PDB file of all heavy atoms in Angstrom:
ATOM      1  N   PRO A 255      35.711   1.742  38.019  1.00  0.00           N
ATOM      2  CA  PRO A 255      34.548   2.637  38.122  1.00  0.00           C
ATOM      3  C   PRO A 255      34.918   4.080  38.452  1.00  0.00           C
ATOM      4  O   PRO A 255      34.200   5.002  38.093  1.00  0.00           O
ATOM      5  CB  PRO A 255      33.722   2.003  39.249  1.00  0.00           C
ATOM      6  CG  PRO A 255      34.154   0.579  39.301  1.00  0.00           C
ATOM      7  CD  PRO A 255      35.603   0.585  38.910  1.00  0.00           C
ATOM      8  N   SER A 256      36.052   4.278  39.130  1.00  0.00           N
ATOM      9  CA  SER A 256      36.443   5.640  39.515  1.00  0.00           C
ATOM     10  C   SER A 256      37.072   6.416  38.372  1.00  0.00           C
ATOM     11  O   SER A 256      37.362   7.600  38.507  1.00  0.00           O
ATOM     12  CB  SER A 256      37.431   5.587  40.681  1.00  0.00           C
ATOM     13  OG  SER A 256      38.585   4.850  40.315  1.00  0.00           O
ATOM     14  N   PHE A 257      37.291   5.742  37.248  1.00  0.00           N
ATOM     15  CA  PHE A 257      37.932   6.370  36.101  1.00  0.00           C
ATOM     16  C   PHE A 257      36.841   6.878  35.163  1.00  0.00           C
ATOM     17  O   PHE A 257      36.051   6.121  34.633  1.00  0.00           O
ATOM     18  CB  PHE A 257      38.832   5.344  35.406  1.00  0.00           C
ATOM     19  CG  PHE A 257      39.736   5.919  34.355  1.00  0.00           C
ATOM     20  CD1 PHE A 257      39.927   7.280  34.231  1.00  0.00           C
ATOM     21  CD2 PHE A 257      40.419   5.079  33.492  1.00  0.00           C
ATOM     22  CE1 PHE A 257      40.768   7.807  33.278  1.00  0.00           C
ATOM     23  CE2 PHE A 257      41.260   5.581  32.528  1.00  0.00           C
ATOM     24  CZ  PHE A 257      41.440   6.950  32.420  1.00  0.00           C
ATOM     25  N   ASP A 258      36.800   8.184  34.948  1.00  0.00           N
ATOM     26  CA  ASP A 258      35.749   8.813  34.151  1.00  0.00           C
ATOM     27  C   ASP A 258      36.375   9.487  32.933  1.00  0.00           C
ATOM     28  O   ASP A 258      37.023  10.528  33.052  1.00  0.00           O
ATOM     29  CB  ASP A 258      34.996   9.837  34.996  1.00  0.00           C
ATOM     30  CG  ASP A 258      33.809  10.470  34.260  1.00  0.00           C
ATOM     31  OD1 ASP A 258      33.557  10.086  33.110  1.00  0.00           O
ATOM     32  OD2 ASP A 258      33.152  11.348  34.841  1.00  0.00           O
ATOM     33  N   ALA A 259      36.185   8.884  31.749  1.00  0.00           N
ATOM     34  CA  ALA A 259      36.688   9.444  30.493  1.00  0.00           C
ATOM     35  C   ALA A 259      35.513   9.599  29.537  1.00  0.00           C
ATOM     36  O   ALA A 259      34.734   8.657  29.352  1.00  0.00           O
ATOM     37  CB  ALA A 259      37.752   8.540  29.883  1.00  0.00           C
ATOM     38  N   ARG A 260      35.408  10.774  28.913  1.00  0.00           N
ATOM     39  CA  ARG A 260      34.251  11.062  28.065  1.00  0.00           C
ATOM     40  C   ARG A 260      34.688  11.712  26.756  1.00  0.00           C
ATOM     41  O   ARG A 260      35.645  12.480  26.715  1.00  0.00           O
ATOM     42  CB  ARG A 260      33.264  11.967  28.794  1.00  0.00           C
ATOM     43  CG  ARG A 260      32.829  11.389  30.138  1.00  0.00           C
ATOM     44  CD  ARG A 260      31.694  12.152  30.753  1.00  0.00           C
ATOM     45  NE  ARG A 260      31.371  11.634  32.073  1.00  0.00           N
ATOM     46  CZ  ARG A 260      30.207  11.803  32.678  1.00  0.00           C
ATOM     47  NH1 ARG A 260      29.253  12.490  32.077  1.00  0.00           N
ATOM     48  NH2 ARG A 260      29.994  11.308  33.876  1.00  0.00           N
ATOM     49  N   LEU A 261      33.916  11.396  25.733  1.00  0.00           N
ATOM     50  CA  LEU A 261      34.189  11.961  24.420  1.00  0.00           C
ATOM     51  C   LEU A 261      33.784  13.428  24.386  1.00  0.00           C
ATOM     52  O   LEU A 261      32.699  13.802  24.850  1.00  0.00           O
ATOM     53  CB  LEU A 261      33.421  11.184  23.342  1.00  0.00           C
ATOM     54  CG  LEU A 261      33.693  11.610  21.906  1.00  0.00           C
ATOM     55  CD1 LEU A 261      35.061  11.125  21.461  1.00  0.00           C
ATOM     56  CD2 LEU A 261      32.617  11.070  20.980  1.00  0.00           C
ATOM     57  N   VAL A 262      34.654  14.262  23.834  1.00  0.00           N
ATOM     58  CA  VAL A 262      34.352  15.677  23.654  1.00  0.00           C
ATOM     59  C   VAL A 262      33.841  15.929  22.243  1.00  0.00           C
ATOM     60  O   VAL A 262      32.804  16.555  22.037  1.00  0.00           O
ATOM     61  CB  VAL A 262      35.591  16.542  23.935  1.00  0.00           C
ATOM     62  CG1 VAL A 262      35.284  18.023  23.680  1.00  0.00           C
ATOM     63  CG2 VAL A 262      36.060  16.348  25.367  1.00  0.00           C
ATOM     64  N   SER A 263      34.565  15.406  21.246  1.00  0.00           N
ATOM     65  CA  SER A 263      34.171  15.645  19.860  1.00  0.00           C
ATOM     66  C   SER A 263      34.775  14.573  18.965  1.00  0.00           C
ATOM     67  O   SER A 263      35.739  13.890  19.327  1.00  0.00           O
ATOM     68  CB  SER A 263      34.628  17.031  19.396  1.00  0.00           C
ATOM     69  OG  SER A 263      36.047  17.130  19.451  1.00  0.00           O
ATOM     70  N   ALA A 264      34.176  14.415  17.777  1.00  0.00           N
ATOM     71  CA  ALA A 264      34.659  13.473  16.768  1.00  0.00           C
ATOM     72  C   ALA A 264      34.655  14.168  15.423  1.00  0.00           C
ATOM     73  O   ALA A 264      33.741  14.925  15.094  1.00  0.00           O
ATOM     74  CB  ALA A 264      33.775  12.222  16.727  1.00  0.00           C
ATOM     75  N   SER A 265      35.699  13.912  14.639  1.00  0.00           N
ATOM     76  CA  SER A 265      35.786  14.469  13.291  1.00  0.00           C
ATOM     77  C   SER A 265      36.411  13.420  12.383  1.00  0.00           C
ATOM     78  O   SER A 265      36.827  12.349  12.843  1.00  0.00           O
ATOM     79  CB  SER A 265      36.627  15.746  13.276  1.00  0.00           C
ATOM     80  OG  SER A 265      37.993  15.441  13.497  1.00  0.00           O
ATOM     81  N   ALA A 266      36.507  13.729  11.109  1.00  0.00           N
ATOM     82  CA  ALA A 266      37.068  12.783  10.150  1.00  0.00           C
ATOM     83  C   ALA A 266      38.530  12.484  10.432  1.00  0.00           C
ATOM     84  O   ALA A 266      39.057  11.475   9.952  1.00  0.00           O
ATOM     85  CB  ALA A 266      36.910  13.335   8.737  1.00  0.00           C
ATOM     86  N   THR A 267      39.175  13.338  11.200  1.00  0.00           N
ATOM     87  CA  THR A 267      40.596  13.142  11.486  1.00  0.00           C
ATOM     88  C   THR A 267      40.872  12.599  12.878  1.00  0.00           C
ATOM     89  O   THR A 267      42.030  12.360  13.222  1.00  0.00           O
ATOM     90  CB  THR A 267      41.365  14.467  11.303  1.00  0.00           C
ATOM     91  OG1 THR A 267      40.795  15.460  12.161  1.00  0.00           O
ATOM     92  CG2 THR A 267      41.293  14.933   9.858  1.00  0.00           C
TER      93      THR A 267
END
Side-chain angles (χ1 to χ4, degrees):
S256 59
F257 190 13
D258 184 2
R260 305 190 184 202
L261 184 74
V262 177
S263 62
S265 70
T267 58

